[in-house]
Amino acid sequence: MSLSATGRTVLSVAGLRKRYGADEVVAGIDFEVQAGECFGLLGPNGAGKTTTLKLALGLIDPDAGTIRLLDRPVPQEAREARQRVGVVPQFDNLDPDFTASENLRVYGRYFGMKKSEIEARIPQLLEFAGIANRGTGKIQALSGGMKRRLTLARALVNDPEVVFMDEPTTGLDPQARHLIWERLKRLKQDGKTLLLTTHFMEEAERLCSRLVIMDHGRIIALGSPRELISKHIEPNVVEVHGPGFEGWAEAARKLAGRVEIAGETAFCYATDEEPLVASLKSHPQLIYLHRPANLEDVFLKLTGRDLRD
Amino acid sequence: MNARLFALPALSMRFVHIWRRNLLVWRKLAIPSMLGNLADPMIFLFGLGYGLGAMMPAVQGVPYIAFLAGGMVVSSTMYAATFEAMYSAFSRMHQQKTWEGILNAPILLEDVVLGELVWATTKATLSGVCILAVVTVLGFASPKFVLALLPVIVLTGLAFAALGLAMNALAPNYDFFMYYFTLVITPTSLISGVFFPIDQLPAVLQGAAAAMPLYHAVALARPLMFGEWPQDILLHLAVPVVYAAVGFYVALVLTRRRLLK
């Protein structure tokens, strides 16, 4: 757990519930985000991540529970709290009629910023977005990654203490995704508190100091990525597929802590992988991959392998 | 929850930010937008005014085109306000998610809805004023009370922008707006005295006309454009004021129900 020097609580949520019709989308969750940390909300589609973000911003009303954001009660004083918050929505909603600079300028006004303040920040923000020379260009001419970085830069126009990000890299190619990750690390170094939702385990593992895994509106695990891996899963994974893998997997149950069969692959989780690898030597038709356990293994163990749509 | 849904709007000057955002977009498209807004009423005014007017005796003591001018100024204001508050606001609310972006900033929904109301009224006023200027310069209206027409045009814009925003909050898609045009706006423009005096209509239609703000706007605009001071001014001002105020509140509650659920 990484706490900043002050250890101040930026966001606290207790007993939070939100129902849509018969569906309880957020079913009683509690967590706290400390100043300076990158906190992740992980979960499959429909787990309640986006609803939790919207509740914390005071954009929708909870059915029960209390929320405090930057020492203000939400939703009662959400507007005042949002003065010091930046938001990156799940889908870019940049103004298509404006240039990149105009997008930043108009957005700065919503925070009541003075013209001179905004104009001084625009070059820095364009540089942060990696589009320093495209400020006067049309938004439509920007690539998906550029638009995403501009959306991130727009969320920083008011120099916020906390940045909420709803799936910041969904839909981006690997190069664009890595560039966003670098920018988020820069924000962490600058002392910003980050709260992000994602279903990319790699993203959470790289960026988040702490995270919760949500499913069906509940928090089912909380901790740092390392803590969660060591607590919930054996450190080694051997994935096996190929003709006759099921027969081999049955025999391997004695050698592994846990064997899970999903479709055409056997996932063997073990503290010591040596016996498994040795036994595979006598089955040359089987293809295997030995790797360290990661957050995705924890995630799949806790939320299951069923599709969520 | 219900208390927040029906709470009176917490009004502030923050609506100006939304108004300025729309102004900046409009400035980029001002010429085609102005032409679009003006061409239609002008074609009606001169087409009907000269074409139909040539076959008609004087109406209320003036050539038909001068009679029609009073109605066209306020009905084109109504159309401009309605279009902006429905199609354009719907694009920003639903298609482009512009409102969603704004609401993530320290801005309340009432700021957004009020900003859209004032913006639609601004565009509608521009449309009404342009037509007024043209007919006054061409001599179809007396310049005597021309400044008194400005509040009439603004109120007409506010009333129909508020109604349009309420429709916007209810609309599942763009097609929905056709019902409102067909069932409300078109009949309103026909029974409110824009094209012909309504004393020849059945009493029930005259009553329906009196319940809508356009009739009252016409009752003020036409005498003013003839250079005469209108009668029952307070009543004719009160109806659009009530439509604007109640309409804004209803639009806000409906939009809250749509977006803040």
Side-chain angles (χ1 to χ4, degrees):
Chain A
M1 188 183 299
S2 92
L3 296 183
S4 77
T6 57
R8 190 165 74 92
T9 301
V10 165
L11 171 67
S12 69
V13 159
L16 191 63
R17 288 177 184 275
K18 179 68 181 176
R19 177 179 288 281
Y20 286 122
D23 212 11
E24 195 163 35
V25 181
V26 176
I29 60 170
D30 307 76
F31 63 87
E32 289 196 342
V33 179
Q34 308 298 329
E37 72 176 335
C38 177
F39 192 91
L41 295 174
L42 271 70
N45 289 337
K49 307 183 296 289
T50 299
T51 306
T52 303
L53 280 195
K54 287 190 168 174
L55 287 165
L57 287 166
L59 300 176
I60 49 177
D61 291 340
D63 296 329
T66 55
I67 307 161
R68 283 190 79 81
L69 174 60
L70 293 167
D71 299 322
R72 291 189 183 267
V74 171
Q76 295 82 357
E77 295 177 22
R79 195 197 73 76
E80 289 78 1
R82 289 201 301 272
Q83 189 72 42
R84 294 184 287 147
V85 175
V87 180
V88 178
Q90 190 170 349
F91 303 103
D92 288 333
N93 51 23
L94 294 166
D95 246 309
D97 300 304
F98 291 157
T99 65
S101 293
E102 284 167 339
N103 263 284
L104 298 170
R105 185 172 300 131
V106 169
Y107 211 72
R109 286 185 200 145
Y110 299 146
F111 290 84
M113 292 170 69
K114 288 205 249 351
K115 189 171 193 279
S116 57
E117 276 180 286
I118 303 176
E119 295 308 319
R121 265 187 88 63
I122 287 177
Q124 304 166 23
L125 292 169
L126 290 174
E127 187 277 323
F128 183 88
I131 53 169
N133 54 353
R134 322 249 331 221
T136 54
K138 282 268 174 207
I139 290 296
Q140 284 90 335
L142 300 180
S143 70
M146 289 174 180
K147 283 185 193 165
R148 203 67 187 139
R149 295 198 299 276
L150 180 59
T151 302
L152 177 57
R154 190 185 67 172
L156 301 174
V157 71
N158 57 326
D159 194 17
E161 290 174 50
V162 197
V163 186
F164 282 56
M165 287 173 284
D166 199 358
E167 300 190 9
T169 62
T170 298
L172 297 183
D173 64 27
Q175 287 84 354
R177 180 176 303 159
H178 276 268
L179 198 44
I180 292 270
W181 287 343
E182 290 314 308
R183 291 300 190 265
L184 297 185
K185 286 177 188 162
R186 205 201 277 186
L187 292 179
K188 272 168 74 175
Q189 277 168 10
D190 293 346
K192 306 270 186 228
T193 308
L194 306 181
L195 176 60
L196 63 91
T197 76
T198 183
H199 44 228
F200 288 122
M201 297 306 124
E202 196 191 343
E203 181 163 292
E205 224 168 318
R206 277 166 192 251
L207 297 174
C208 294
S209 36
R210 285 196 309 147
L211 54 91
V212 294
I213 297 180
M214 288 183 74
D215 199 14
H216 301 299
R218 289 190 171 78
I219 290 176
I220 53 175
L222 165 81
S224 73
R226 273 163 192 267
E227 281 167 5
L228 289 172
I229 293 166
S230 64
K231 181 175 170 195
H232 291 282
I233 210 121
E234 297 79 359
N236 288 289
V237 185
V238 180
E239 294 182 20
V240 182
H241 66 108
F245 81 99
E246 281 154 314
W248 174 85
E250 275 315 305
R253 284 188 192 277
K254 293 192 293 289
L255 307 173
R258 202 158 54 84
V259 175
E260 208 176 304
I261 303 218
E264 298 301 312
T265 308
F267 292 84
C268 309
Y269 298 91
T271 311
D272 177 10
E273 78 288 2
E274 284 299 327
L276 285 167
V277 176
S279 116
L280 282 161
K281 295 263 157 57
S282 53
H283 295 78
Q285 83 284 10
L286 293 177
I287 300 159
Y288 75 94
L289 168 71
H290 167 221
R291 60 173 176 82
N294 59 31
L295 202 53
E296 187 144 322
D297 298 306
V298 178
F299 185 84
L300 289 172
K301 181 183 174 192
L302 296 178
T303 64
R305 289 181 184 271
D306 297 336
L307 273 183
R308 312 293 176 87
D309 284 316
Chain B
M1 178 64 203
N2 274 356
R4 289 240 298 167
L5 189 63
F6 292 107
L8 286 175
L11 298 183
S12 91
M13 288 305 286
R14 289 186 295 266
F15 81 86
V16 174
H17 303 316
I18 287 85
W19 184 86
R20 286 184 70 190
R21 181 237 162 246
N22 291 349
L23 179 70
L24 182 59
V25 176
W26 179 80
R27 273 172 39 193
K28 298 184 173 232
L29 314 159
I31 303 286
S33 163
M34 292 274 283
L35 288 177
N37 261 325
L38 287 177
D40 211 42
M42 290 297 181
I43 290 165
F44 261 90
L45 180 64
F46 291 105
L48 288 179
Y50 282 125
L52 207 54
M55 310 189 300
M56 285 208 284
V59 182
Q60 292 183 349
V62 296
Y64 182 60
I65 190 164
F67 173 86
L68 185 60
M72 287 312 292
V73 166
V74 285
S75 78
S76 71
T77 305
M78 171 184 80
Y79 274 101
T82 305
F83 266 103
E84 189 66 23
M86 297 200 309
Y87 291 95
S88 307
F90 192 75
S91 295
R92 294 188 280 265
M93 174 182 74
H94 189 73
Q95 298 296 122
Q96 293 176 197
K97 306 281 181 202
T98 310
W99 290 15
E100 186 186 278
I102 297 172
L103 291 168
N104 283 331
I107 299 280
L108 298 176
L109 191 57
E110 34 265 70
D111 302 323
V112 175
V113 177
L114 181 60
E116 293 286 356
L117 178 80
V118 177
W119 170 249
T121 304
T122 306
K123 263 189 89 169
T125 301
L126 200 62
S127 176
V129 165
C130 284
I131 293 165
L132 178 62
V134 171
V135 296
T136 307
V137 166
L138 293 180
F140 298 123
S142 156
K144 193 172 167 190
F145 292 129
V146 76
L147 285 181
L149 278 149
L150 191 62
V152 177
I153 291 170
V154 170
L155 274 180
T156 309
L158 279 172
F160 283 98
L163 287 177
L165 284 169
M167 291 301 129
N168 174 59
L170 295 172
N173 50 46
Y174 288 103
D175 296 334
F176 177 83
F177 298 132
M178 270 320 291
Y179 294 113
Y180 178 65
F181 269 107
T182 307
L183 297 174
V184 179
I185 294 294
T186 307
T188 296
S189 72
L190 285 173
I191 64 170
S192 294
V194 173
F195 299 100
F196 47 82
I198 69 161
D199 37 24
Q200 55 184 316
L201 289 177
V204 60
L205 287 183
Q206 292 190 35
M212 286 298 285
L214 186 63
Y215 164 80
H216 300 277
V218 174
L220 293 169
R222 181 166 290 132
L224 288 170
M225 289 172 66
F226 290 167
E228 296 159 12
W229 199 244
Q231 314 221 307
D232 303 325
I233 291 179
L234 283 183
L235 169 73
H236 294 319
L237 287 175
V239 173
V241 166
V242 168
Y243 265 90
V246 176
F248 171 68
Y249 175 71
V250 170
L252 176 61
V253 172
L254 291 173
T255 314
R256 279 180 184 150
R257 195 187 63 167
R258 178 181 186 128
L259 296 181
L260 307 184
K261 62 175 168 51

